[in-house]
Amino acid sequence: MDEKVERRFVSLKIKWAFGTAVGSLIIFMVVVFALFTSFTQNLFRQERQLINEGMTNITRQLGTINQPLTRKNISHLIDPSNDGTQLISGEEYQRPVVKELSDGHLVVNVYNPDGKNILSTGHYIKAPRFSTARSIRVAEGPDHDVLVGQAPVYAQKSRQLIGYLQVENNLNSYNRSYHQLWLVCVLAMCLVIIASGLLGYFLSLFLLQPLDNIHDTVKEISKDPTKDVRVPVVNRNDELAELTTMFNDMLDRMQRYIDQQSQFVSDVSHELRTPVAIIQGHLDMLQRWGKDDPKVLDDSIKATLIEIKRMKNLVQEMLDLSRAEQVEINFRNQHTVVNDVVHQVFNNFKMLYPEFTFRLDDDLKEPITVDIYRDHLEQVLVILCDNAVKYSTEDRQEIHLILSRGMNTVEIGVQDFGEGISPENVKRVFDRFYRVDKARSRKKGGNGLGLSIAKRLIEGYHGSISLESSVGAGSLFRIVLPIADDPEEKITAK
Ligand code: ADP
């Protein structure tokens, strides 16, 4: 079943904003939880300390009574003016401590040794625990938990048990602070979600602008592939700005490639039109009159064969051209000794054209290896030497081959002293199907593809080819190729 699952479009900005909000919220929650816990624990510790200090203070004062506690003998502690001053020693006992303590959120209960309540400023919990161990614990209060401190009271002098003390803290201020803090945290969390979500959204709006531009451009191009649109370049220095530039470069390259392809098709059909027309002309003529006329028959067959040979050459050269564009992929790690190939081509041409004077200026002191497939170097040299022969004048039939070495390069020159090329044509001779004099070149069997094949081959091996020429004086083609890094590697066998 080939069922296409339709996915709902969710903008990257929304996802980014959502992600930022959730991320910030998680971080914020962790931080707030840590702060909240430490703050509330601290608050709780303070409340405990308050109860502890209160108990110490009161037990110390009650201990000064030095006899079992009764309602009567403790009354002066509630109000010092209540009784004589003989039991009050020291400045701190001059104050009504118990009353002061019970003013706030502490309630105090004092019991005699039998567990009878003799002083009470209130109650949060009912059942007191009478124990000789001092303790502070959390107990269930009427509305919420309360803190209960209990301690035995000993006579200061005799160290005898004279009563019990129970101090309760209703934790009201602790609870108030706890709830206020909780509210602040929840509000802050909401603020963080909204703020980080908005920040994420606007940040992504700004940062993803180039992506939006690319998206719009692709959409426009897919609607109309012939449209010459490019992504607007943003003035930034990040990956997306780089992507925009790369994307535009890619569109330019594609455009160039499409233009080249259509140009190539039109060039080829144009090149084929002439031989096809000539062949058709001769065949028409044969059909009408030539069948019985041996001379017409012979001429037409000869002319047709010449044109067919030309077409064959043209097809071969076009194939060479398209292969020359692939050398970088198909002919890696090929090594050739330049000296050998140049000497071989030189000797072949000397033999083929004895009427020409060939000279080889070889400045290389040792064999030099370059990364090029041997047949390709030979093909380029043959194209240049063929041209040199073709476009030499009868005044000076002389061709020089020059071999020299640069820093990391080797240079091969092919020089003739023929008709030369004008400066405006020098720029164009490497273009496909370009011929300075179309009719003359055609007569010499040229299709205007030789130099473009040579250029593509040499550039495919990271070299360069250039031309110096002047009309009437001749031309010098110069090839520069990088010397191979590792000449020890296997050399292409002939
Ligand atoms: P062709 O097959 O026509 O020679 P090329 O690509 O080899 O095609 O050369 C392109 C054109 O450059 C030629 O038609 C010719 O006009 C010019 N040309 C090439 N080499 C030379 C040269 N050595 N001297 C003068 N003109 C040349």
Side-chain angles (χ1 to χ4, degrees), residues 232-244:
V233 179
V234 283
N235 189 18
R236 288 199 334 229
N237 58 347
D238 52 25
E239 289 87 342
L240 286 181
E242 210 176 279
L243 181 71
T244 305

Side-chain angles (χ1 to χ4, degrees), residues 102-113:
S102 58
D103 260 356
H105 37 267
L106 292 183
V107 296
V108 179
N109 284 284
V110 180
Y111 302 87
N112 68 11

Side-chain angles (χ1 to χ4, degrees), residues 16-34 182 184-198:
W16 191 322
F18 183 73
T20 320
V22 171
S24 320
L25 185 67
I26 291 172
I27 296 171
F28 186 78
M29 269 166 70
V30 171
V31 173
V32 161
F33 178 75
W182 177 242
V184 168
C185 288
V186 170
L187 281 177
M189 255 186 291
C190 294
L191 256 173
V192 163
I193 294 183
I194 296 168
S196 60
L198 282 177

Side-chain angles (χ1 to χ4, degrees), residues 317 383-392 414-422 425 428-438 440-442 444-454 467 469 474-477:
E317 281 193 322
I383 289 171
L384 296 184
C385 290
D386 254 345
N387 280 351
V389 170
K390 266 198 285 186
Y391 302 106
S392 281
V414 178
Q415 187 175 22
D416 66 69
F417 304 90
E419 58 193 55
I421 305 166
S422 64
N425 284 320
R428 305 191 58 191
V429 285
F430 293 103
D431 292 350
R432 259 181 344 216
F433 298 110
Y434 188 78
R435 281 153 284 188
V436 176
D437 183 340
K438 208 159 178 161
R440 229 147 60 99
S441 173
R442 201 180 136 72
K444 292 181 182 187
N447 292 313
L449 285 176
L451 289 181
S452 42
I453 294 171
L467 165 63
S469 187
S475 315
L476 167 62
F477 286 88

Side-chain angles (χ1 to χ4, degrees), residues 80-182:
S81 61
N82 196 319
D83 203 350
T85 55
Q86 73 274 25
L87 287 173
I88 304 163
S89 60
E91 279 249 5
E92 60 182 300
Y93 303 135
Q94 305 264 342
R95 295 178 293 122
V97 182
V98 176
K99 201 159 180 272
E100 189 185 281
L101 284 170
S102 58
D103 260 356
H105 37 267
L106 292 183
V107 296
V108 179
N109 284 284
V110 180
Y111 302 87
N112 68 11
D114 302 329
K116 194 168 169 251
N117 189 243
I118 51 170
L119 168 73
S120 174
T121 63
H123 272 302
Y124 293 128
I125 59 156
K126 295 260 146 38
R129 281 187 200 160
F130 300 112
S131 155
T132 50
R134 187 186 167 104
S135 71
I136 296 175
R137 65 193 163 90
V138 176
E140 219 174 281
D143 306 319
H144 49 74
D145 285 352
V146 292
L147 210 53
V148 183
Q150 284 170 327
V153 182
Y154 293 103
Q156 231 173 44
K157 285 185 185 145
S158 61
R159 304 305 305 161
Q160 279 217 328
L161 184 75
I162 55 171
Y164 297 99
L165 171 70
Q166 176 171 291
V167 178
E168 293 162 46
N169 182 348
N170 63 6
L171 292 176
N172 269 352
S173 94
Y174 166 80
N175 283 331
R176 211 177 309 119
S177 302
Y178 186 97
H179 287 120
Q180 271 171 1
L181 194 66
W182 177 242

